[in-house]
């Protein structure tokens, strides 16, 4: 109760270990998402979220990152001038 009024709820949650000061890491390697890359984003994010126990927005973020990695790998493997 010694905390400022605006900070009381957050301070209580921190002291009871109900929240964290930082984001928790996600144990999903983008390489594991290869099987989802050819699906629609909506279906893929729902399946990824259910399988790995993460939010759909985080699943979509990881899916887009995996697609970007795949595209950069594809571009780096292209032989120019052929």
């Amino acid at each position: 109760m010694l905390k400022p009024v605006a900070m009381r709820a957050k301070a209580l949650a921190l002291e009871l270990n109900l929240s964290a000061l930082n984001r928790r890491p996600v144990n999903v390697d983008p390489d594991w998402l290869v099987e989802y890359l050819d699906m629609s984003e909506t279906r893929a994010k729902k399946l990824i979220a259910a399988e790995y126990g993460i939010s759909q927005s985080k699943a979509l973020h990881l899916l887009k990152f995996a697609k970007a990695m795949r595209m950069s790998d594809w571009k780096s493997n292209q032989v120019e001038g052929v």
Side-chain angles (χ1 to χ4, degrees), residues 16-28:
L16 294 175
N17 293 324
L18 298 175
S19 68
L21 292 174
N22 59 352
R23 293 184 178 182
R24 292 175 178 89
V26 176
N27 292 331
V28 179

Side-chain angles (χ1 to χ4, degrees), residues 2-3 6 11-12 14 17 20 23-24 28 30 38 40-42 46 56-57 59 64 66 68 72-73 76 78:
L2 298 176
K3 306 289 183 191
L12 179 62
L14 285 171
N17 293 324
R23 293 184 178 182
R24 292 175 178 89
V28 179
D38 295 328
S40 70
E41 284 186 351
T42 304
K46 288 179 182 179
Q56 288 187 12
S57 61
K64 287 182 178 182
S72 67
D73 288 345
S76 67
Q78 289 292 315

Side-chain angles (χ1 to χ4, degrees), residues 27-40:
N27 292 331
V28 179
D29 187 359
D31 292 334
W32 299 345
L33 304 178
V34 172
E35 64 188 84
Y36 300 104
L37 294 179
D38 295 328
M39 293 181 190
S40 70

Side-chain angles (χ1 to χ4, degrees), residues 23-33 36 47-55 58-59 61-63 65:
R23 293 184 178 182
R24 292 175 178 89
V26 176
N27 292 331
V28 179
D29 187 359
D31 292 334
W32 299 345
L33 304 178
Y36 300 104
L47 291 173
I48 293 168
E51 182 174 345
Y52 294 105
I54 57 176
S55 68
K58 186 64 175 178
H61 172 75
L62 291 170
L63 183 67
F65 182 74

